[in-house]
Amino acid sequence: MKGMVFTEFMEMVESKFGLELADRILTTCDLPSGGSYTAVGTYDHHELMTLVQLLSLETNIPIPDLVRAFGHHLFGRFTEMYPRFFQGVSSSFQFLEQVDAYVHVEVLKLYPEAELPKFTSQRMDENRLAFEYRSRRPFGDLAEGLIAGCAEHFGEQIQIQREPLAAESGTAIRFLITRLG
Ligand code: HEM
């Protein structure tokens, strides 16, 4: 997983919980990388899970809540780091529909070693989008947080229902996103 995900995670920990806690997590974690991440490096995604587990132990906040909060935060960072992906896009549904065929395709050109999930989307009606996530990895909570961050970016209120799908391996989740206003 790209180092940028790790550096953004640690930035979030620092800004929400303070530098001291961020340092403590990095020094107590016994990780192959030693916990010193660079945005351009690539690291085992299990390290992110270890960091989240440690943060959960320190804060008493459940792991899924922390991962969702991170997804939300990360989307905000993406809007600053990759403004070109937002040109001409005026709603969360329009953006989400472009993630698989455009955004992640461009991400892969920038970072050929990235391992990205697959998304399919289907408009149920004007205010409902079915969005299916499939990945070898268990990052459904991250996807949910990113979806929430996306709605916030476009100033929309949404409700997200999720349903696990059968998957031979990895993770598959169907998000039903309802736009409330
Ligand atoms: C400007 C928008 C976006 C950018 C630049 C972006 C970029 C990235 C990057 C760099 C990774 C790390 C891949 C790796 O290191 O192996 C990633 C992973 C991921 N992205 Fe995106 N992404 C964007 C939008 C979204 C949105 C809207 C979703 C939606 C739900 C999403 C879902 C995910 C998930 C769940 C992962 C974790 C990997 C996995 O589940 O297998 N991304 N993305």
Side-chain angles (χ1 to χ4, degrees):
M1 180 165 257
K2 291 311 299 173
M4 174 260 272
V5 179
F6 290 85
T7 52
E8 289 303 329
F9 178 75
M10 290 315 301
E11 293 273 321
M12 181 194 78
V13 175
E14 233 180 271
S15 69
K16 283 202 191 335
F17 304 104
L19 187 59
E20 204 187 308
L21 182 60
D23 278 347
R24 194 154 66 236
I25 285 175
L26 286 179
T27 44
T28 46
C29 72
D30 184 18
L31 295 168
S33 72
S36 53
Y37 301 106
T38 66
V40 291
T42 301
Y43 308 89
D44 187 337
H45 72 277
H46 290 108
E47 292 203 7
L48 186 65
M49 294 167 176
T50 304
L51 292 170
V52 176
Q53 274 162 16
L54 288 173
L55 182 62
S56 173
L57 286 172
E58 289 275 354
T59 59
N60 280 322
I61 301 173
I63 290 172
D65 292 1
L66 290 171
V67 177
R68 271 196 298 269
F70 175 49
H72 199 132
H73 165 88
L74 193 58
F75 193 89
R77 293 290 295 132
F78 285 161
T79 63
E80 292 164 15
M81 291 157 79
Y82 305 97
R84 68 191 172 101
F85 295 148
F86 293 85
Q87 276 163 22
V89 184
S90 56
S91 72
S92 65
F93 287 5
Q94 197 189 348
F95 187 85
L96 293 172
E97 282 167 340
Q98 294 187 5
V99 169
D100 199 72
Y102 170 57
V103 177
H104 276 177
V105 173
E106 294 298 311
V107 167
L108 210 53
K109 288 183 196 163
L110 293 170
Y111 311 113
E113 65 286 10
E115 276 200 68
L116 296 160
K118 283 300 294 172
F119 288 103
T120 51
S121 51
Q122 196 190 348
R123 289 249 189 165
M124 310 304 281
D125 57 43
E126 202 196 327
N127 290 314
R128 286 187 312 155
L129 180 75
F131 195 56
E132 289 186 9
Y133 163 81
R134 283 171 212 277
S135 174
R136 290 176 43 216
R137 299 157 170 194
F139 286 123
D141 293 321
L142 187 69
E144 191 176 327
L146 284 158
I147 294 167
C150 181
E152 186 181 281
H153 171 75
F154 290 102
E156 299 167 7
Q157 296 268 59
I158 60 161
Q159 186 190 62
I160 306 171
Q161 286 165 274
R162 66 191 260 186
E163 196 188 300
L165 298 174
E168 275 178 23
S169 63
T171 314
I173 298 168
R174 182 173 187 269
F175 293 100
L176 181 65
I177 309 164
T178 306
R179 195 160 41 198
L180 306 171

